[in-house]
């Protein structure tokens, strides 16, 4: 293996690449990983030098605190290659700020900005051949932090590992999606960690979602923990409702993730004169809108799918189907957002970040 240092990052290259064995036309989301990963350890009260290493297993003691007390946070990002072979990221500073916000809530040391961007860009450069051209192709980027200190005392860890791994992705399509409005389970409560991308938030969703799947739904739209009267998020995504010609979405809070796609869609809707209301949305309001025909669309918004249209929902044993629209807000906004990401349209918002090669 060759060991060299570029911009203060220690790089050990993989002896060979597995890229030729990958079928890029038939990728399963999140199952295939690139040749390298970024690793940075927190020891003796400070973050050490970032390193690039061949992708592979890591060694942890069984008593590592991440296993016992769930000190783990993560992010989801993407890199894109345009037709001129330039590589772009979409609003990466938002991801950096949010992972540190999540880390702080779980008593994890915040990560230095220079380490984050230098490490990430070095990783993208060394694995740039994995970023394929084509509208819909991308490289999914997963930064995460875990507590590695051994010991089962109920206290924050003193040692941590910050890592970034990457997975090539195609256009995300899950087929028709129908959701259940939660009547019993909640994703998060006031004063909790719902706003953070904490690993435990997502693990706690699996059981209620599995129950919904047994009833023929693919996902859950979570309701508030206090009364189950208000709609908050959809599975792992922020949620939008279109009633007549107005888009509705819940305000962020300590229960709801400050989604980067969500805030981007709100900004774009305002530019394209689509009315948006950010407010509490009651189950009763949406059920009545479905009954009287004013509910036109529901869609989730997040990094993986950008926008995921929802075809129908269930509540209290009743099922409601949404109309099939020739011109939907979901289709329009997704196309506009992706064209910014792929450098196919002017970026009026300054969201694109070019990765220097």
């Amino acid at each position: 293996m060759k060991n060299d240092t570029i911009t203060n990052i220690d790089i050990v290259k993989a002896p060979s690449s597995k890229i030729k064995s990958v079928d890029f036309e038939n990728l399963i989301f999140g199952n295939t990983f690139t040749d390298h990963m970024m690793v940075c350890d927190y020891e003796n009260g400070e973050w050490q030098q970032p390193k690039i290493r061949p992708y592979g297993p890591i060694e942890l003691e069984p008593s590592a605190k991440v296993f016992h007390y769930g000190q783990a946070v993560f992010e989801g990002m993407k890199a894109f290659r345009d037709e001129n072979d330039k590589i772009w990221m979409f609003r990466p500073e938002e991801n950096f700020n949010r992972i540190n916000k999540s880390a702080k809530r779980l008593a994890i040391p915040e990560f230095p900005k220079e380490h984050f961007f230098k490490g990430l860009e070095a990783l993208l450069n060394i694995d740039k051949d994995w970023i394929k051209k084509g509208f819909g192709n991308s490289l999914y980027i997963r930064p995460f932090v875990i507590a590695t200190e051994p010991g089962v005392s109920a206290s924050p860890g003193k040692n941590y590992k910050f890592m970034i791994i990457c997975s090539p992705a195609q256009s995300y399509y899950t087929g028709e999606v129908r959701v259940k409005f939660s009547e019993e389970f909640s994703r998060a409560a006031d004063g909790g960690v719902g706003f953070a991308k904490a690993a435990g938030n997502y693990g706690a969703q699996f059981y209620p979602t599995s129950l919904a799947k047994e009833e023929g739904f693919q996902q859950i739209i979570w309701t508030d923990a206090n009364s189950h009267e208000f709609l908050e998020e959809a599975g792992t995504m922020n949620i939008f409702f279109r009633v007549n010609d107005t888009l509705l979405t819940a305000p962020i809070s300590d229960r709801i993730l400050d989604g980067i796609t969500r805030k981007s869609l709100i900004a774009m809707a305002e530019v394209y004169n689509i009315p948006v209301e950010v407010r509490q949305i009651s189950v009763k309001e949406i059920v009545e809108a479905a009954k009287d025909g004013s509910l036109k669309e529901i869609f989730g918004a997040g990094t993986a799918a950008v926008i995921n249209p929802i075809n129908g929902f269930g509540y209290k044993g009743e099922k409601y189907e949404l109309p099939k629209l020739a011109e939907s807000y979901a289709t329009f906004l997704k196309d506009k957002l992706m064209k910014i990401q792929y450098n196919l349209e002017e970026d009026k918002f300054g969201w694109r970040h070019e990765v220097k090669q």
Side-chain angles (χ1 to χ4, degrees), residues 17 60 76 85 94 208 223 232 313:
S17 175
L60 295 175
D85 279 325
E94 294 284 347
T223 49
E232 298 200 327
F313 69 90

Side-chain angles (χ1 to χ4, degrees), residues 61-222:
E61 291 199 25
S63 58
K65 292 203 172 187
V66 64
F67 300 135
H68 302 274
Y69 301 111
Q71 270 189 293
V73 297
F74 68 94
E75 271 299 320
M77 311 167 63
K78 282 182 177 177
F80 312 88
R81 184 186 291 274
D82 70 16
E83 291 304 310
N84 297 314
D85 279 325
K86 289 185 176 181
I87 296 171
W88 305 88
M89 289 187 287
F90 182 73
R91 307 189 75 175
E93 191 151 336
E94 294 284 347
N95 296 98
F96 167 74
N97 291 335
R98 192 170 63 183
I99 198 168
N100 275 343
K101 184 179 179 182
S102 298
K104 185 175 181 179
R105 180 61 179 83
L106 271 75
I108 295 171
E110 296 178 49
F111 198 64
K113 185 173 182 178
E114 185 179 27
H115 281 30
F116 182 86
F117 280 94
K118 283 189 175 181
L120 175 53
E121 295 205 2
L123 179 61
L124 293 178
N125 269 293
I126 200 169
D127 279 342
K128 63 185 178 182
D129 290 345
W130 291 78
I131 310 171
K132 299 300 184 184
K133 289 182 184 179
F135 197 64
N137 294 327
S138 63
L139 188 71
Y140 183 77
I141 303 165
R142 171 55 61 90
F144 63 100
V145 193
I146 58 173
T148 56
E149 182 193 3
V152 294
S153 61
S155 59
K158 294 176 182 170
N159 297 334
Y160 297 87
K161 193 177 288 291
F162 188 107
M163 301 183 67
I164 303 178
I165 56 177
C166 300
S167 177
Q170 294 176 293
S171 289
Y172 194 93
Y173 177 71
T174 58
E176 293 196 348
V177 175
R178 288 170 177 80
V179 298
K180 180 180 181 181
F181 288 1
S182 178
E183 302 169 41
E184 176 184 0
F185 297 101
S186 294
R187 178 185 176 275
D190 291 338
V193 296
F195 69 89
K197 285 189 77 72
N201 287 349
Y202 297 81
Q205 297 185 43
F206 297 155
Y207 174 66
T209 303
S210 69
L211 296 180
K213 287 181 177 179
E214 290 174 4
E215 297 180 41
F217 302 100
Q218 285 70 48
Q219 268 296 355
I220 289 177
I221 294 186
W222 304 100

Side-chain angles (χ1 to χ4, degrees), residues 177-179 181 217 283-284 286-293 295 298 310-323:
V177 175
R178 288 170 177 80
V179 298
F181 288 1
F217 302 100
V283 174
K284 180 180 178 182
I286 297 304
V287 169
E288 289 179 353
K291 288 179 177 178
D292 67 24
L295 180 63
I298 304 175
I310 291 168
N311 301 86
F313 69 90
Y315 181 65
K316 290 192 178 297
E318 296 291 328
K319 293 184 177 180
Y320 304 87
E321 287 293 302
L322 274 68

Side-chain angles (χ1 to χ4, degrees), residues 34-39 51-58 123 127 163-166:
T34 64
D35 294 319
H36 299 87
M37 59 188 184
M38 193 207 85
V39 183
K51 303 172 183 176
I52 304 295
R53 293 291 183 262
Y55 178 89
I58 59 174
L123 179 61
D127 279 342
M163 301 183 67
I164 303 178
I165 56 177
C166 300

